[in-house]
């Protein structure tokens, strides 16, 4: 008996592979044969999914046509549902029954007594009266442009961030400085206070996103990931996630506790200047210098809608506190949208400068702040501009230093806090002495403004 020749494992594996290759080489690149039954089923499912409503309408139309052919003598009309359809006098939409009407003469018929309901003319709503706003307090203390402002949920203090790299906490009632936080190595561009934790979040041009523990006044977490300056941040109102956006054309979602970068929203082609978060869909909305506004699905981590109506860069997006709407600001105009699909509502035109920021309060007062220091006050519902003025610069500053970078209402909606280029924070409040007689609504409906484009 011949001895079996022994080979190494490598040789045996190689031969096995070669035999397998030789066996399947003839049809290795071929696709499986088409199954006609499966193809027909696939097409039927796709057609029903895409055109199901059309098929249903066609079937209904054919059924109606078939009935007409079977009963050609019956007149087709919309009746009031009570009289006999064969009676020619019952073909009225609305019949007028006047007990005092004179009896019909020989020349009259019942049809001459028919009257249609007159259509009510559509009217543009008149704007609600709002009291004018006036400057209440000027707070100075920063050594650089004041770039961001936020009010804490208890409405007792507010925080500002500046080009001097310092975050300052101020008492809202007295305007006195309570605390200064240092740690950023470049301009602080965004701030947010957590409603559920003693945390303050900040971001800046140093690419850093920090979480400050306000019990110890120290940084306890850093969120690393942005490749360039971080321009804005927003907290989700119900879940512990943080949204940031910046010059790297992305918006990022962070887990507050674990510091994990949950999602990176890519799609914008230029700096993302503004981000807002809400509890209902779309949970994240961003505005960018690429002139678009994007609505994001937070669960899926992708864009669900891109609004391309703006012609110039969008620097500010603001949510209405009670209505299911938001507004976006650009130098061409301010646009209002309805959630969740981002349906266009109306243009608010008139603020022709670069609009850096907006704020809206529960009373429906929308304020926009310009890069040249101009402030416009609008009625949210109608877009009526009821007040406009130039923010006064700090004594010793040049007029060219007028510029509003950020603004927010306090939680009562009665005070407006602005962060400005003359290194001051200004607090505005409503004029208590004003009334509808002293400041009447000088409003004329502008039909062209409401054209949808």
């Amino acid at each position: 008996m011949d001895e079996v020749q022994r080979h190494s494992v490598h040789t045996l594996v190689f031969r096995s592979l070669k035999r397998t290759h030789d066996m399947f080489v003839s049809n290795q690149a071929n696709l499986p044969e088409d199954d006609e039954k499966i193809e027909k089923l696939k097409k039927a499912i796709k057609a029903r999914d895409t055109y199901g409503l059309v098929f249903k309408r066609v079937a209904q139309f054919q059924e109606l046509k078939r009935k007409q052919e079977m009963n050609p003598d019956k007149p087709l009309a919309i009746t009031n549902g009570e009289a006999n359809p064969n009676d020619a006098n019952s073909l009225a939409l609305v019949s007028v029954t006047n007990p005092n009407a004179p009896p019909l003469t020989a020349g009259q018929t019942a049809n001459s007594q028919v009257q249609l309901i007159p259509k009510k003319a559509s009217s543009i709503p008149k704007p609600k009266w709002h009291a004018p706003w006036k400057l209440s307090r000027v707070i100075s203390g920063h050594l650089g442009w004041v770039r961001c402002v936020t009010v804490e949920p208890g409405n007792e203090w507010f925080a500002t961030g500046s080009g001097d790299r310092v975050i300052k906490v101020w008492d809202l009632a007295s305007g006195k400085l309570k605390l200064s936080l240092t740690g950023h190595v470049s301009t602080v561009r965004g701030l947010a206070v957590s409603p559920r934790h003693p945390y303050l979040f900040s971001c800046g041009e140093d690419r850093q996103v920090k979480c400050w523990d306000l019990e110890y006044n120290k940084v306890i977490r850093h969120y690393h990931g942005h490749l360039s300056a971080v321009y804005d941040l927003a907290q989700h109102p119900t879940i512990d996630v943080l949204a940031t956006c910046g010059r790297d054309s992305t918006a990022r979602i962070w887990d507050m506790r674990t510091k994990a970068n949950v999602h990176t929203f890519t799609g914008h082609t230029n700096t993302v200047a503004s981000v807002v978060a809400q509890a209902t869909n779309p949970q994240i909305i961003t505005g960018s210098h690429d002139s678009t506004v994007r609505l994001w699905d937070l669960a899926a981590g992708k864009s669900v809608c891109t609004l391309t109506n703006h012609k110039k860069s969008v620097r500010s997006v603001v949510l209405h506190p009670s209505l299911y709407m938001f507004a976006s600001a650009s130098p061409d105009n301010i646009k209002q949208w309805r959630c969740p699909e981002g349906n266009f509502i109306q243009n608010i035109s008139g603020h022709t400068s670069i609009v850096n920021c907006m704020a809206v309060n529960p009373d429906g007062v929308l304020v926009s702040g310009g890069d040249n220091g101009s402030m416009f006050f609008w009625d949210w519902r109608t877009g009526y501009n009821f007040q406009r003025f130039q923010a006064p610069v700090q004594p010793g500053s040049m007029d060219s230093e007028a510029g509003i970078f950020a603004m927010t209402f306090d939680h009562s909606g009665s005070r407006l806090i602005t962060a400005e280029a003359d290194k001051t924070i200004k607090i505005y409040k409503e004029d208590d002495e004003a009334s509808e007689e002293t400041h009447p609504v000088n409003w004329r409906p502008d039909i062209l403004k409401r054209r949808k484009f």
Side-chain angles (χ1 to χ4, degrees):
M1 188 174 176
D2 295 334
E3 188 177 345
V4 177
Q5 187 177 358
R6 295 186 179 181
H7 296 285
S8 67
V9 173
H10 180 272
T11 307
L12 292 170
V13 169
F14 182 78
R15 285 184 180 177
S16 175
L17 283 172
K18 190 171 184 308
R19 280 196 298 271
T20 307
H21 177 267
D22 292 341
M23 183 182 297
F24 294 108
V25 73
S26 59
N27 61 352
Q28 64 167 343
N30 295 349
L31 293 169
E33 293 180 8
D34 291 339
D35 189 329
E36 289 184 14
K37 190 177 176 184
I38 290 174
E39 284 295 316
K40 281 183 181 175
L41 187 64
K42 187 172 86 172
K43 285 179 183 174
I45 291 169
K46 197 165 185 179
R48 190 178 63 203
D49 183 50
T50 311
Y51 305 109
L53 290 172
V54 180
F55 290 158
K56 193 174 178 184
R57 294 287 288 274
V58 170
Q60 288 174 349
F61 181 74
Q62 288 174 346
E63 181 68 19
L64 185 66
K65 198 173 178 183
R66 189 175 62 79
K67 285 182 179 177
Q68 287 176 5
E69 288 171 358
M70 290 172 64
N71 305 316
D73 297 332
K74 285 191 177 180
L76 289 175
I78 303 173
T79 66
N80 58 11
E82 296 172 358
N84 183 3
N86 292 325
D87 184 5
N89 293 334
S90 67
L91 302 183
L93 280 175
V94 178
S95 58
V96 178
T97 54
N98 186 358
N100 300 322
L104 296 178
T105 60
Q108 286 182 317
T109 62
N111 284 341
S112 61
Q113 294 281 309
V114 170
Q115 176 186 332
L116 291 177
I117 299 171
K119 186 181 177 184
K120 188 182 177 184
S122 61
S123 61
I124 298 172
K126 191 179 179 186
K128 179 185 170 187
W129 182 81
H130 299 285
W133 292 69
K134 63 179 183 180
L135 184 62
S136 167
R137 176 177 278 131
V138 179
I139 302 170
S140 57
H142 278 293
L143 303 177
W145 287 353
V146 189
R147 298 303 301 244
C148 52
V149 58
T150 187
V151 181
E152 65 101 13
N155 217 35
E156 292 180 357
W157 53 265
F158 67 95
T160 55
S162 163
D164 60 9
R165 311 187 296 273
V166 179
I167 298 165
K168 288 183 182 284
V169 176
W170 312 85
D171 184 72
L172 187 56
S174 65
K176 291 180 179 175
L177 182 66
K178 290 167 71 91
L179 181 68
S180 292
L181 299 171
T182 57
H184 279 281
V185 294
S186 189
T187 303
V188 183
R189 292 295 294 262
L191 289 170
V193 184
S194 172
R196 295 183 297 278
H197 315 97
Y199 296 159
L200 170 71
F201 297 95
S202 65
C203 64
E205 291 179 8
D206 50 10
R207 299 182 293 189
Q208 295 184 23
V209 181
K210 296 175 183 280
C211 174
W212 304 78
D213 189 327
L214 295 175
E215 291 177 342
Y216 301 98
N217 300 333
K218 290 182 179 177
V219 177
I220 56 169
R221 296 188 189 100
H222 285 93
Y223 303 90
H224 294 288
H226 275 286
L227 306 176
S228 191
V230 189
Y231 279 179
D232 197 13
L233 58 78
Q235 277 184 106
H236 194 284
T238 54
I239 54 178
D240 288 342
V241 296
L242 189 68
T244 58
C245 65
R247 208 163 61 199
D248 57 4
S249 306
T250 66
R252 293 173 190 263
I253 307 298
W254 309 90
D255 187 308
M256 252 182 224
R257 293 189 184 87
T258 64
K259 300 178 284 187
N261 187 179
V262 181
H263 292 305
T264 301
F265 292 151
T266 57
H268 285 294
T269 56
N270 207 330
T271 300
V272 185
S274 181
V275 61
V276 291
Q278 61 180 354
T280 50
N281 286 329
Q283 294 182 52
I284 305 291
I285 303 170
T286 55
S288 167
H289 287 190
D290 63 8
S291 308
T292 65
V293 177
R294 281 180 180 257
L295 282 53
W296 303 88
D297 184 335
L298 184 59
K302 63 183 181 183
S303 174
V304 292
C305 182
T306 305
L307 309 174
T308 58
N309 301 45
H310 282 290
K311 304 292 183 291
K312 294 183 180 178
S313 59
V314 180
R315 295 191 179 214
S316 178
V317 176
V318 66
L319 294 165
H320 193 284
S322 54
L323 301 177
Y324 197 25
M325 295 169 71
F326 68 96
S328 56
S330 172
D332 51 9
N333 49 36
I334 298 166
K335 294 180 188 289
Q336 287 181 346
W337 315 87
R338 182 178 285 114
C339 300
E341 282 92 15
N343 301 322
F344 175 77
I345 302 299
Q346 67 175 347
N347 280 319
I348 300 177
S349 302
H351 203 167
T352 51
S353 65
I354 296 171
V355 181
N356 280 331
C357 53
M358 289 191 299
V360 61
N361 73 0
D363 291 335
V365 177
L366 174 68
V367 192
S368 54
D371 210 39
N372 58 358
S374 58
M375 286 176 68
F376 280 59
F377 292 76
W378 315 85
D379 176 52
W380 175 274
R381 188 166 170 231
T382 58
Y384 166 66
N385 176 217
F386 68 88
Q387 189 183 8
R388 64 177 75 178
F389 57 77
Q390 188 75 21
V393 295
Q394 189 178 22
S397 302
M398 294 181 291
D399 287 341
S400 58
E401 284 188 286
I404 301 166
F405 290 122
M407 59 170 55
T408 185
F409 282 100
D410 72 344
H411 292 289
S412 68
S414 61
R415 284 171 289 192
L416 175 68
I417 306 166
T418 63
E420 308 201 5
D422 62 355
K423 305 174 188 173
T424 66
I425 301 126
K426 295 187 175 76
I427 299 178
Y428 296 84
K429 66 179 182 182
E430 290 182 330
D431 188 350
D432 298 331
E433 297 167 1
S435 66
E436 288 195 54
E437 286 74 32
T438 59
H439 295 79
V441 174
N442 181 22
W443 177 76
R444 288 186 301 277
D446 185 359
I447 303 300
L448 292 174
K449 178 182 74 67
R450 296 182 71 86
R451 189 179 294 162
K452 296 192 176 184
F453 62 91

